[in-house]
Amino acid sequence: MPTQALPGFRDFYPEQLALRAYIFSTWRRVASRYGFEEFDGPPLESLELFTAKSGEEIMAQLYAFEDKGGRRVALRPEMTPTLARMVAARATALKKPVRWFAISQLFRYERQQRGRLREHFQFNCDVLGEPGPVGDAEIIALALDAVRAFGLTAHDVQARVSDRRVLEVLLQGGGVPADQLAVAYQAVDKLERAGPDKIRGMLDDQGMTGSAIETVLRTASLSGWEAVEDALSSVPGGQTAGAPLRQAVDALQAMGLGTYVDVDLSIVRGLDYYTGIVFELFDVGRRFRAICGGGRYDDLLNSVGGNDLPALGFGMGDVVLSEILKDRGLVPDVPAAVDVFLTGATEGDLPHMLHLAHELRERGCRVEYSFRMTGLGKQLGLAHARGAKYAIVIGPDDRARGEVMLKRLADGTQQPVPIDGVADALVALVPSPAALSASVAAPGS
């Protein structure tokens, strides 16, 4: 019987699950500050939901098959089509703008590398029913605050922001035909990884002229709003196309997030359904893959369910984020699983231990005890191994005096405590569940 998970999949032992839970709780806390509501959908969807709008890259990575009912289905590789389907089912009843988020497990059969597996959990946040650039700024701000909550700063993370409408007007103004825009977007998306020589060859194979190819490369190299604005001034419709991007960047400046934002036209996003502003979050040193990516997809809900609602959102995976937190030393210590460990000297002490254990648990303490009355030293050794701060020693002589012995494991000091007052004493000593959760919050949260 195999002892390893399938390639690209993960086992979550307690320490790994603690980090995952910390990431999830931080995401939820930030989303709630922005007024977002949590939703979820099924991990298995109709294959047709993804074949229509997700693009060739996603199609090649699907876990797709025919189920026992003869339906063609796929494990979800992304969350946006599911969101679009769910909103389409209730579009008229939903109060606009809709602010929803999900933390969902996604599946893609792709080549494994650092920061990329075949399954991951993703934090998705979407705003539906808002066409304006302030909405774009809001979703980028949420993504930035989601990483800032872990203690990451502008020295660690940058948002690279672009706009497909800007790319379109610059590409067409430079001689790229409308029917080759999709190919040009794919080239821009791959340029940083493949390099200009390979991209020239790819575009040449697609029948693009030499001057159009140079337009693609030149446009993709534009960085900084001033350079983009200058390029837009030389093409028809440039100022109109660039206005939403400028307004979104200005809004982020007004929020105090300007130092986190770079205008960078090499960002285009690989999925076919994006229609406007797009962005990705990267670590400043570029040692890792993108932490997060998203943008505006105004036509997707109409294509899925016939509801003409503007929409925008992002997805942030747990794999790259976990790597960066480890790299920056921002993974919090995992709290001990136990507050107090009960020990007994004799078999006759067990009923009293069980009674006290249940009483303490009902008062909110995290309690463990030895199932068998082994030697007291072994029981205390297990208490240390569990990370308990306190131990209670129950013995016949102590019980006869109406006492138990409360032992502080860090320094070995101990004191007798009345049996009927031990629960109050421990509740005063150990942190509440809420305080325990707060104790693992990273700087900047």
Side-chain angles (χ1 to χ4, degrees):
M1 187 173 181
T3 59
Q4 299 294 320
L6 290 171
F9 289 77
R10 294 170 289 175
D11 294 316
F12 289 91
Y13 290 90
E15 59 271 23
Q16 286 89 35
L17 192 63
L19 175 57
R20 193 182 87 183
Y22 165 61
I23 289 172
F24 287 8
S25 66
T26 303
W27 283 343
R28 286 190 170 100
R29 187 172 66 252
V30 176
S32 69
R33 295 205 307 247
Y34 277 72
F36 278 62
E37 298 178 286
E38 188 167 7
F39 80 102
D40 201 359
L44 193 68
E45 291 274 19
S46 168
L47 178 63
E48 185 181 2
L49 189 65
F50 304 111
T51 56
K53 295 298 292 182
S54 292
E56 293 181 5
E57 183 178 359
I58 288 291
M59 291 307 307
Q61 298 168 356
L62 285 175
Y63 279 90
F65 56 94
E66 185 175 295
D67 71 7
K68 292 184 178 181
R71 291 172 288 265
R72 298 178 68 207
V73 296
L75 291 172
R76 60 188 179 197
E78 55 165 326
M79 201 61 187
T80 307
T82 294
L83 168 70
R85 177 185 60 74
M86 291 175 63
V87 170
R90 296 188 178 183
T92 57
L94 294 172
K95 181 69 175 177
K96 316 301 185 302
V98 175
R99 292 172 175 247
W100 282 4
F101 81 94
I103 299 174
S104 308
Q105 192 172 24
L106 306 179
F107 306 87
R108 296 185 187 184
Y109 195 92
E110 52 186 347
R111 185 172 61 86
Q112 300 173 72
Q113 53 186 284
R114 188 180 187 188
R116 172 182 281 183
L117 299 173
R118 290 174 179 169
E119 60 80 22
H120 70 284
F121 289 89
Q122 187 163 285
F123 177 44
N124 284 85
C125 295
D126 295 86
V127 175
L128 313 176
E130 172 50 53
V134 176
D136 296 277
E138 177 86 342
I139 209 73
I140 297 170
L142 173 50
L144 285 169
D145 280 346
V147 296
R148 292 175 69 236
F150 294 102
L152 296 166
T153 71
H155 298 295
D156 302 302
V157 175
Q158 287 286 300
R160 299 166 68 189
V161 184
S162 182
D163 193 322
R164 285 204 175 190
R165 293 162 297 196
V166 169
L167 282 167
E168 179 178 347
V169 74
L170 289 176
L171 291 171
Q172 288 197 286
V176 177
D179 61 359
Q180 290 187 321
L181 282 175
V183 173
Y185 290 154
Q186 291 175 18
V188 173
D189 188 48
K190 296 176 180 178
L191 177 60
E192 200 164 48
R193 300 186 299 274
D197 291 339
K198 285 188 178 180
I199 294 303
R200 282 190 179 92
M202 184 190 90
L203 292 176
D204 183 65
D205 291 343
Q206 294 287 334
M208 191 174 288
T209 65
S211 61
I213 291 172
E214 294 310 310
T215 292
V216 172
L217 297 176
R218 183 172 61 253
T219 301
S221 70
L222 292 173
S223 181
W225 174 251
E226 290 184 2
V228 172
E229 186 176 40
D230 183 61
L232 287 170
S233 67
S234 64
V235 297
Q239 288 188 332
T240 300
L245 179 58
R246 179 57 191 263
Q247 291 173 47
V249 171
D250 286 347
L252 288 163
Q253 289 277 4
M255 294 177 192
L257 295 171
T259 56
Y260 287 85
V261 178
D262 290 326
V263 174
D264 185 343
L265 294 195
S266 69
I267 301 300
V268 66
R269 304 289 293 145
L271 299 175
D272 290 346
Y273 51 63
Y274 287 111
T275 59
I277 289 177
V278 288
F279 70 97
E280 292 181 352
L281 267 58
F282 284 92
D283 67 293
V284 169
R286 298 302 306 278
R287 295 177 54 202
F288 302 91
R289 297 175 56 80
I291 305 167
C292 166
R296 180 168 287 280
Y297 53 96
D298 284 344
D299 300 330
L300 182 60
L301 270 71
N302 194 28
S303 66
V304 171
N307 295 285
D308 191 11
L309 276 178
L312 60 152
F314 70 80
M316 179 181 297
D318 70 313
V319 179
V320 174
L321 179 60
S322 296
E323 292 283 347
I324 291 174
L325 294 181
K326 293 172 186 175
D327 182 72
R328 300 296 198 273
L330 292 173
V331 176
D333 293 332
V334 178
V338 178
D339 296 317
V340 58
F341 197 100
L342 305 186
T343 66
T346 69
E347 291 290 342
D349 298 316
L350 181 58
H352 302 279
M353 290 169 55
L354 296 175
H355 178 81
L356 181 57
H358 198 260
E359 180 183 2
L360 289 170
R361 286 166 176 166
E362 287 195 327
R363 298 285 296 274
C365 293
R366 300 172 303 159
V367 180
E368 189 178 343
Y369 54 87
S370 178
F371 294 131
R372 292 186 293 173
M373 293 299 99
T374 57
L376 190 58
K378 285 188 176 181
Q379 294 180 62
L380 290 173
L382 183 56
H384 280 286
R386 293 289 193 259
K389 292 184 178 180
Y390 300 94
I392 292 177
V393 181
I394 302 175
D397 294 340
D398 297 309
R399 287 192 286 109
R401 294 191 298 270
E403 296 176 343
V404 295
M405 196 62 68
L406 177 61
K407 190 178 186 72
R408 181 182 171 89
L409 294 174
D411 55 17
T413 58
Q414 60 185 29
Q415 65 183 79
V417 178
I419 291 176
D420 58 4
V422 67
D424 289 334
L426 277 166
V427 168
L429 288 170
V430 301
S432 68
L436 192 68
S437 298
S439 71
V440 299
S445 62

